[in-house]
Amino acid sequence: METTIAAPKPRSSTEVDFLPLQGTDYVEFYVGNAKQAAHFYKTAFGFQSLAYSGPETGTKDRVSYAIRQNKLTFVLTTPLRSDNPISNHIHKHGDGVKVLALKVEDATSAWEETTKRGGKSYLEPITLSDDDGEVVMSGIHTYGETVHLFIERGNYRGIFMPGFRKWESNYNPPDTGLLYVDHCVGNVGWNQMNPWVKFYEDVMGFRNILTFDDKDISTEYSALMSKVMSNGNGFVKFPINEPAEGKKKSQVEEYLDFYDGEGVQHVAVATNDIVKTVSDIQKRGVEFLNIPTTYYDELPARVGHIDEDLEPLKKLGILVDRDNEGYLLQIFTKPVEDRPTLFFEIIQRKGAKSFGKGNFKALFEALEKEQDARGNL
Ligand code: FE2
């Protein structure tokens, strides 16, 4: 099946990108126990200790651990008391993504340009400073209770951000080859995909580069629709999913029920060697969706020649898809918390810029099996 991607560039050559993004700065999770979550991400995914913020550094109401692997930075934040708004967030949603932080050259301009186009302000531009310089940040709301922060760190030399100190730990499991955020997917409610597509177009200057309708993404039982939004230089990609009517409950609907609202469904992280990364992560205890081995019988005919041996892909459950520009390898974890909400994708792109449309059926059948076991199909 051929997939063509619209070039992620401004709508006309004379149009200036009013929100130039340099990529994802970090992803912040609100969690019930950041100390244990940091341990999990270090142990299971190979993140390295980076920075710490809490009462000892002058932040009295919360604790945050910043962890990093190559260009992938996660911040895990937990409130210290029940009257903290973060506690309400966790009570409602469980552990989940609060902030998709984007790196910009000018956080003040990013806030002005987006709010004047209808973006709802979350944080007016503020300057945080310490002995290592300053970071300017601002932010706007997106779907659900999720927010985008714009981070300007051109004048900062410190380890992460003012308010944080270096986190020295004696426990440093080796990394697993995860490199950077490839894309982050949001699940939104019924009839909400197009309004959010319009938000990313109007407020953030993104373009819709790919669309999947319920015929592309359906199994015998359930369906969803998806549109992929990309910024001008293609560094930031946000697919938006909406449930669609099927015989049974859409996986997006299950998410919305258990997250109690719209939010980030999965974060896809890139690797240059998916077989090595996934073997490693699996040994460290991360569970992946089980793909029926019959998937691999028809794989050579569907994707043609690939550099990788089929056996390890089959053993690990790694999926392959091809588009006009090349191919990609991808795999999906099971949810990383007890609520069937957030999970991770690991992706290796070999030319392909698409999202694995040829794998949707196998993938969603695997997801439905899990959903059924939970009694939510
Ligand atoms: Fe994905």
Side-chain angles (χ1 to χ4, degrees):
M1 203 179 302
E2 298 263 295
T3 302
T4 309
I5 312 242
K9 61 185 180 199
R11 268 154 277 192
S12 81
S13 54
T14 52
E15 197 174 344
V16 178
D17 188 354
F18 63 81
L19 183 63
L21 301 176
Q22 299 166 332
T24 301
D25 195 278
Y26 64 88
V27 179
E28 181 170 10
F29 303 74
Y30 280 177
V31 298
N33 188 332
K35 180 180 276 196
Q36 290 188 2
H39 187 77
F40 169 77
Y41 282 103
K42 285 168 68 174
T43 304
F45 288 94
F47 282 82
Q48 309 297 306
S49 304
L50 179 70
Y52 169 86
S53 148
E56 301 87 340
T57 67
T59 306
K60 299 295 184 196
D61 67 334
R62 67 182 77 182
V63 163
S64 296
Y65 297 83
I67 53 176
R68 179 170 286 169
Q69 183 162 188
N70 297 301
K71 288 183 179 167
L72 186 60
T73 307
F74 285 176
V75 177
L76 304 154
T77 294
T78 209
L80 290 173
R81 293 177 191 275
S82 60
D83 59 359
N84 188 311
I86 301 171
S87 296
N88 301 336
H89 195 280
I90 296 165
H91 175 73
K92 187 171 168 66
H93 303 297
D95 288 5
V97 172
K98 175 64 180 179
V99 180
L100 295 170
L102 304 167
K103 195 173 289 177
V104 296
E105 210 165 286
D106 185 341
T108 307
S109 151
W111 183 85
E112 285 168 359
E113 295 294 333
T114 50
T115 53
K116 86 176 181 205
R117 288 173 169 82
K120 189 175 149 219
S121 176
Y122 171 72
L123 177 69
E124 290 190 19
I126 51 161
T127 303
L128 307 172
S129 54
D130 64 12
D131 293 345
D132 290 314
E134 58 181 47
V135 168
V136 186
M137 62 162 83
S138 64
I140 59 171
H141 291 267
T142 177
Y143 47 78
E145 290 197 79
T146 317
V147 302
H148 290 309
L149 287 185
F150 302 116
I151 310 289
E152 172 189 335
R153 50 172 76 255
N155 295 318
Y156 195 64
R157 303 168 303 278
I159 191 79
F160 179 56
M161 205 170 275
F164 282 78
R165 72 178 183 204
K166 190 172 175 12
W167 178 20
E168 304 264 19
S169 171
N170 292 326
Y171 178 64
N172 304 299
D175 87 12
T176 62
L178 298 177
L179 299 174
Y180 54 85
V181 173
D182 185 276
H183 60 276
C184 287
V185 180
N187 279 343
V188 300
W190 294 94
N191 304 313
Q192 292 303 305
M193 179 176 69
N194 286 329
W196 285 108
V197 162
K198 198 166 156 38
F199 164 87
Y200 280 104
E201 283 172 348
D202 294 351
V203 173
M204 295 183 66
F206 281 40
R207 281 188 76 210
N208 174 211
I209 57 166
L210 265 178
T211 296
F212 306 106
D213 62 23
D214 48 351
K215 282 176 278 307
D216 294 320
I217 318 184
S218 68
T219 64
E220 193 191 340
Y221 293 126
S222 69
L224 65 86
M225 298 185 283
S226 189
K227 286 189 176 178
V228 181
M229 305 307 294
S230 172
N231 81 315
N233 59 20
F235 289 176
V236 179
K237 291 184 283 289
F238 293 141
I240 310 287
N241 293 338
E242 166 184 323
E245 291 290 352
K247 272 194 216 161
K248 297 200 176 180
K249 191 190 245 186
S250 167
Q251 48 166 295
V252 177
E253 222 182 328
E254 188 198 31
Y255 174 100
L256 296 170
D257 277 0
F258 281 84
Y259 196 72
D260 199 2
E262 303 179 336
V264 172
Q265 178 208 41
H266 73 268
V267 179
V269 291
T271 171
N272 281 335
D273 188 344
I274 195 165
V275 171
K276 192 165 176 295
T277 296
V278 172
S279 306
D280 199 358
I281 287 176
Q282 203 175 50
K283 278 192 209 110
R284 295 166 181 229
V286 175
E287 295 179 312
F288 292 92
L289 286 179
N290 297 312
I291 301 301
T293 51
T294 49
Y295 170 88
Y296 296 91
D297 299 341
E298 49 89 30
L299 186 65
R302 185 164 62 80
V303 299
H305 173 77
I306 57 169
D307 303 334
E308 293 73 16
D309 290 334
L310 215 52
E311 260 330 291
L313 301 183
K314 189 171 171 176
K315 190 171 148 263
L316 295 166
I318 294 168
L319 306 169
V320 191
D321 196 28
R322 186 177 284 283
D323 65 21
N324 296 340
E325 293 169 272
Y327 67 96
L328 60 83
L329 304 114
Q330 63 186 164
I331 190 167
F332 298 84
T333 72
K334 292 184 182 179
V336 290
E337 57 286 294
D338 294 301
R339 294 195 197 192
T341 53
L342 175 77
F343 60 88
F344 290 93
E345 172 181 352
I346 295 166
I347 184 165
Q348 181 179 5
R349 295 186 179 278
K350 301 191 96 168
K353 295 206 183 82
S354 53
F355 294 82
K357 180 176 168 181
N359 292 326
F360 287 171
K361 199 170 157 54
L363 175 64
F364 296 143
E365 282 171 354
L367 272 168
E368 277 167 12
K369 215 175 267 178
E370 301 279 323
Q371 206 178 324
D372 193 29
R374 293 189 284 263
N376 297 330
L377 187 60

